[in-house]
Amino acid sequence: MNTSQFQPDRREALRQQLVELPTLAGAEDPVRYRPGKTARSPRPRPQRGRPGDSRASLEVSSPVRTSPTRRILLTAAAATVGALVVGQISITAQSAHAAGVLLAVADQSMTFVDPVPGPGQFLLVHTHANWLVSGIDEAGKMKNSMNAQTIDVYRPGNPDADWVLRRDWGDGHPVPMEIEVIRAKDGHFYDGPWTLMSDEELEALPRDGQALYDHFNSSYQGGSASRDENNFVRITDILRMGLIPADLRAGLYKALALIPGVNASEQANFDGKVGVAIGRTEPLRAGQRAEMIIDPATGLVIGERTIMTYAAFGFGSNEVVGHTAIDYRIVDSAPQ
């Protein structure tokens, strides 16, 4: 069964959750950011002030004349400081907005009954993806292209039965091949577990959002472009598995809300289903933005997006370099 059948259409409720943030001078739209645009502070309007009044005018009469050059420099400096302050307010407001959305999604996740396969059944996690493939062409130049593929993982209701992987590599496999079907105990399809963590390891994780955040933050061992990016990636890597219990999923959403720079918007997954996109732009990775798209009715992850927020490394501004759709349903059989 498809997750869309569990709850009525929540698109209108989603729109209510994703209320637009106040427009701020210099505020960077997390989705529609256009490079090369310089934020400008509104020009301060002079006020009449009394001596000793803290609201005294920014421009007062003075017997000392200020040169035009100095006035320009002072104005530019004030505008720069204003833009930095307003930009920080914008980031803080966006983070607070995302935190509120994530807490609401976490609460909804706890009310949703995860689909559980019975004896002889399977939980099918279907991923339809369009991923970036990079290589070297015949002229020795870097070549980038997008490759669509599908990945179906069948987790059996009987823990002793084999997991099944059905994968259509599209054009991305090094050697042209037919659709791949692999059966393996506990999902060890490629000489290792398909999931990042075993059921025992997932069970050992705390469920409280702050405790989860502290767990990931304290176990940082380098890598990624920053500690915040590493925390975001490690948490979303677990969520994208689609095979974790609702209480842990809710806790991970609350942990995401504690990561600086995380914000929320309404986005569609690769198959067009609209959800809440929780994203973060990493300044140290050429502005690359990673998003996880969540169904607000269930709290399940229904896709991801990766966007280049400005032109770099041969990619255009706002170019999508990764896009997936994830679906969950119970089925009675798996490919042989």
Side-chain angles (χ1 to χ4, degrees):
M1 52 186 170
N2 192 295
T3 56
S4 63
Q5 299 172 340
F6 291 117
Q7 296 280 350
D9 186 7
R10 295 288 301 275
R11 185 182 180 110
E12 196 57 39
L14 170 63
R15 291 188 182 279
Q16 293 300 317
Q17 284 181 303
L18 296 176
V19 177
E20 279 193 27
L21 295 172
T23 301
L24 300 172
E28 179 181 308
D29 186 316
V31 179
R32 300 180 181 85
Y33 169 70
R34 292 189 293 272
K37 299 293 184 181
T38 303
R40 284 194 258 175
S41 294
R43 184 176 179 177
R45 298 180 64 181
Q47 295 180 351
R48 294 287 181 183
R50 298 184 301 272
D53 189 342
S54 61
R55 297 172 299 170
S57 171
L58 293 174
E59 296 180 9
V60 296
S61 299
S62 169
V64 179
R65 299 180 62 85
T66 304
S67 70
T69 302
R70 187 164 183 262
R71 283 201 301 270
I72 292 172
L73 290 174
L74 289 173
T75 302
T80 300
V81 172
L84 290 174
V85 172
V86 170
Q88 182 59 48
I89 293 173
S90 171
I91 292 172
T92 302
Q94 290 172 9
S95 295
H97 175 244
V101 173
L102 278 165
L103 293 177
V105 171
D107 290 341
Q108 185 65 24
S109 183
M110 291 298 294
T111 67
F112 173 71
V113 179
D114 288 342
V116 178
Q121 293 183 318
F122 296 84
L123 170 61
L124 168 59
V125 181
H126 170 77
T127 301
H128 185 201
N130 194 31
W131 285 318
L132 175 69
V133 177
S134 296
I136 305 298
D137 62 18
E138 296 179 355
K141 296 181 179 180
M142 178 66 71
K143 177 183 178 182
N144 297 318
S145 62
M146 301 299 294
N147 177 63
Q149 58 179 275
T150 58
I151 302 173
D152 291 330
V153 177
Y154 295 78
R155 180 171 184 169
N158 180 357
D160 296 325
D162 286 342
W163 291 38
V164 180
L165 171 73
R166 180 186 184 276
R167 185 169 192 168
D168 183 347
W169 287 85
D171 297 326
H173 199 274
V175 179
M177 60 184 301
E178 296 180 356
I179 295 175
E180 180 179 36
V181 177
I182 304 175
R183 306 181 70 89
K185 177 70 174 175
D186 295 327
H188 285 233
F189 299 122
Y190 298 109
D191 298 323
W194 179 258
T195 57
L196 295 176
M197 306 179 74
S198 66
D199 289 344
E200 292 74 21
E201 290 172 322
L202 291 174
E203 185 62 32
L205 288 174
R207 267 43 180 176
D208 176 73
Q210 182 67 59
L212 280 165
Y213 174 82
D214 292 341
H215 166 78
F216 290 104
N217 196 51
S218 63
S219 58
Y220 176 65
Q221 296 180 346
S224 298
S226 67
R227 181 187 288 264
D228 290 335
E229 182 192 53
N230 188 260
N231 289 337
F232 185 86
V233 169
R234 291 166 70 195
I235 292 173
T236 54
D237 277 350
I238 295 174
L239 286 167
R240 83 156 55 87
M241 296 190 311
L243 299 168
I244 60 175
D247 60 342
L248 177 57
R249 192 165 64 241
L252 290 170
Y253 289 147
K254 293 177 180 179
L256 279 177
L258 299 174
I259 298 176
V262 171
N263 44 44
S265 63
E266 181 183 84
Q267 295 294 341
N269 68 10
F270 188 44
D271 288 341
K273 184 175 181 179
V274 176
V276 177
I278 302 300
R280 183 179 180 280
T281 302
E282 176 52 53
L284 299 179
R285 198 178 291 280
Q288 187 180 87
R289 176 175 171 79
E291 295 178 340
M292 174 155 286
I293 305 172
I294 305 166
D295 181 351
T298 63
L300 292 173
V301 176
I302 58 171
E304 294 176 282
R305 290 201 326 160
T306 304
I307 309 100
M308 302 299 295
T309 59
Y310 58 86
F313 307 117
F315 300 107
S317 172
N318 291 331
E319 184 171 352
V320 177
V321 295
H323 206 177
T324 72
I326 305 172
D327 187 37
Y328 313 80
R329 53 185 180 270
I330 301 297
V331 296
D332 294 326
S333 61
Q336 298 297 320

